[in-house]
Amino acid sequence: MQLWVTWPALLWLAWWLGERAQPWGVPRVSVYVAVGLLASVVAPAPALVDGAVLALLAQLALALVLFELGHRIRLAWLRANPWVTAAALLQGLGIFAVVAWGAAWLGVMQEERWLLAAVAVAASPAALLRLVNDARAGGQVTERVLHQAALLSVLAVLLVKGVSAYWLASTAGDWQRALLTGVYALVASVGLGVALAVVLGLLVRGPFASPVVPTVGYALALIWLTVVADALQLSPLLAALSLGMALRQRQTLAAAVQRDFGALGWVLGVFLFVYVGSRMTWEALTQPQVWAMAALVLGARLLVPVGVNAALAWPAATTLRKGVLTGVALVPMSALTLLLLERSVAQGVAPAAQVLQQLAAALLWAELLGPWVTLWALRAAREAAVGNPARWGD
């Protein structure tokens, strides 16, 4: 009962503080996460078994973001400039290799370090897209960051599914479950998103009297997609990203839709980042290995993307400076990483719970400081508006 009384008040507090801090140049996302850290002390979210509704709401909130991000992906541009895709794949695999090697050096068990390396690849599409919209950012760095974040998110899901399937097959001996966790989940998630895109393309056609009308239609479709994908043990996040990309390629999202899904997207966005902060495990922060892991993960997430994007700047048709800033802007990791691990725990992948503990310090710093780093990079690239910040739903 205390949870349902306290959390609405905390969400309101997060919104209020975010609006007061925004004119001072403080990212709203960081404020929401800070209030979530407060929630982890005064009203911690229950364990996954008891807090299934909250976890599902968090998946829905991130699904809205991934849908919008997927609809911004231009496959034609990626085909014309394959170096952007190459940069994302190289940095993702580079982060995976560095974190896996470093975790082995720190003495992390094999079944845990592969999963840890896989989730370390995930960018934070929710934080990045919110920051871009808030700052009204646009330009080469902005587009490369969003496209690479989408590609890194897909790669992270693939790696997590692959590692989870391998663990279930080799340790638990459950080959059928491993197949469901791996190949079935990936193929069916993408298929569900694409199939829904075909249906929406036939049914949701304008013109509409107001952007609110199609926004409600797509939001309800995403609610259905999230619930069905969760019930079928698929990936709601991959399905939502596939839905957005498929609609973009079919050019069927012709009706004007409110940015960030209007008030609904704003409310769920506040909830998502407060939820992420509320999952902090403070006991883990007393362990030296957790801080060593934070240095390893954050170092890899900064140095590898910067190095790869700088090295491929010239063939990718950009400058060395913009390549470096693209890598810097990709530092945030929070919501996707957390939900991937929670999803793995719910599916019975035992190492995921320990990995979540080991990443406590890394997630803490990435959640609070990552948005500041991205905002600095966008401003350094002269792609972020200074003053008059946008409001969600504008």
Side-chain angles (χ1 to χ4, degrees):
M1 182 64 181
Q2 180 186 1
L3 176 70
W4 303 112
V5 172
T6 308
W7 263 66
L10 289 171
L11 294 177
W12 189 92
L13 178 64
W15 165 80
W16 186 81
L17 290 176
E19 293 308 295
R20 294 300 174 269
Q22 178 74 11
W24 296 90
V26 180
R28 289 187 179 104
V29 172
S30 296
V31 176
Y32 300 156
V33 171
V35 175
L37 296 176
L38 174 64
S40 69
V41 176
V42 301
L48 287 179
V49 176
D50 302 319
V53 174
L54 293 181
L56 188 61
L57 277 177
Q59 289 192 76
L60 173 61
L62 189 53
L64 293 178
V65 175
L66 288 172
F67 170 81
E68 184 179 352
L69 179 62
H71 192 256
R72 293 187 62 153
I73 300 302
R74 294 180 291 162
L75 293 181
W77 181 53
L78 294 178
R79 287 192 293 266
N81 191 349
W83 290 104
V84 175
T85 303
L89 295 177
L90 286 175
Q91 65 188 287
L93 295 176
I95 292 171
F96 181 86
V98 170
V99 173
W101 175 83
W105 185 76
L106 290 173
V108 178
M109 298 177 62
Q110 180 178 353
E111 61 267 21
E112 295 174 7
R113 66 171 177 262
W114 293 116
L115 184 59
L116 193 152
V119 296
V121 172
S124 181
L128 292 172
L129 194 57
R130 299 308 187 194
L131 286 167
V132 166
N133 287 341
D134 272 0
R136 300 188 186 275
Q140 275 198 18
V141 172
T142 301
E143 290 304 315
R144 290 168 191 268
V145 166
L146 292 179
H147 280 70
Q148 290 188 19
L151 293 170
L152 286 171
S153 299
V154 173
L155 181 59
V157 172
L158 294 175
L159 289 172
V160 169
K161 291 294 184 183
V163 171
S164 299
Y166 175 77
W167 182 86
L168 289 170
S170 60
T171 305
D174 194 342
W175 290 95
Q176 181 179 4
R177 195 172 174 190
L179 183 63
L180 291 176
T181 301
V183 179
Y184 159 75
L186 294 173
V187 175
S189 297
V190 174
L192 185 62
V194 173
L196 183 57
V198 174
V199 174
L200 290 178
L202 296 174
L203 299 180
V204 185
R205 292 185 176 274
F208 294 98
S210 167
V212 175
V213 179
T215 300
V216 172
Y218 286 111
L220 291 173
L222 279 166
I223 292 174
W224 178 87
L225 180 67
T226 302
V227 172
V228 170
D230 183 76
L232 295 177
Q233 297 188 3
L234 306 180
S235 171
L237 309 180
L238 187 58
L241 184 65
S242 302
L243 172 61
M245 293 180 65
L247 284 172
R248 172 64 182 256
Q249 299 313 306
R250 291 173 57 84
Q251 297 182 344
T252 53
L253 197 63
V257 178
Q258 288 178 300
R259 191 180 60 190
D260 296 319
F261 281 88
L264 172 64
W266 193 347
V267 171
L268 287 177
V270 175
F271 166 79
L272 174 63
F273 292 108
V274 172
Y275 177 81
V276 169
S278 73
R279 303 303 294 178
M280 176 56 58
T281 50
W282 294 100
E283 300 83 3
L285 299 182
T286 61
Q287 304 172 14
Q289 187 180 38
V290 169
W291 290 98
M293 191 62 64
L296 170 65
V297 172
L298 295 179
R301 288 196 55 81
L302 177 63
L303 298 178
V304 174
V306 168
V308 170
N309 280 284
L312 297 181
W314 180 77
T318 190
T319 64
L320 176 62
R321 182 173 179 273
K322 289 188 175 182
V324 170
L325 291 175
T326 299
V328 171
L330 285 166
V331 166
M333 57 176 286
S334 57
L336 182 60
T337 304
L338 177 69
L339 293 184
L340 284 175
L341 285 173
E342 289 192 342
R343 185 78 175 171
S344 298
V345 171
Q347 292 177 342
V349 182
Q354 183 60 31
V355 169
L356 192 55
Q357 295 275 336
Q358 293 171 341
L359 281 177
L363 287 173
L364 175 65
W365 288 111
E367 289 164 358
L368 290 177
L369 299 183
W372 292 80
V373 174
T374 297
L375 191 58
W376 173 85
L378 294 176
R379 287 175 174 169
R382 299 179 181 177
E383 296 183 7
V386 178
N388 300 321
R391 293 182 179 273
W392 290 8
D394 286 355

